Amino acid sequence: MSVYNEPTLSQASPKLTRVDHIHIYVRDRAKAFAWYQQVLGFKLVEALAFWSQGDGPLTIEHGEIHLALFESIKPKFTTVAFGVDAKNYQLWKQKLAENQIKYTESDHEVTWSIYFADPDGNPFEITSFEYQQITDTNS
């Protein structure tokens, strides 16, 4: 007996339009913000800066991507994957190397991905579906 029921039209989920933000847990928000600013190019969302008073998040952005930096002594990890084109994929490898950030690179046969972590151990992935262009460049 199955507990899954095929949704009817009236049970269909409302549409999700975007990822609003991602929670990232860090030991020190100020130090983390400096790293995200220097390495990944994030900027403070001024309109939401008041939230960082007390236990609220420090909200930062890079274009349409928003991260909410929460302070936490206990590590809580969620991998965040950013999508890029082939040109920017190569530029990110250079940027990480310039900042002496260790990374690994994986060929997933349909995508290429770079994996690295912030100073608090939060894992990140930069991935591209422009597989053949990256394969040719890496050869």
Side-chain angles (χ1 to χ4, degrees), residues 38-112:
Q38 176 187 346
V39 176
L40 298 179
F42 277 82
K43 297 176 181 167
L44 178 66
V45 177
E46 295 284 347
L48 301 177
F50 71 94
W51 274 348
S52 66
Q53 306 302 318
D55 293 334
L58 178 66
T59 305
I60 59 177
E61 67 184 348
H62 187 286
E64 296 294 316
I65 300 167
H66 289 86
L67 301 180
L69 303 180
F70 285 89
E71 283 190 344
S72 176
I73 295 172
K74 286 185 171 183
K76 301 175 186 179
F77 301 122
T78 299
T79 301
V80 177
F82 300 117
V84 298
D85 60 19
K87 177 183 175 187
N88 281 289
Y89 182 90
Q90 300 302 337
L91 293 172
W92 275 110
K93 290 194 321 185
Q94 292 172 10
K95 175 77 170 179
L96 294 171
E98 288 167 6
N99 283 276
Q100 300 176 348
I101 297 169
K102 293 179 184 177
Y103 67 86
T104 59
E105 186 174 24
S106 293
D107 175 350
H108 300 296
E109 298 181 3
V110 293
T111 65
W112 278 93

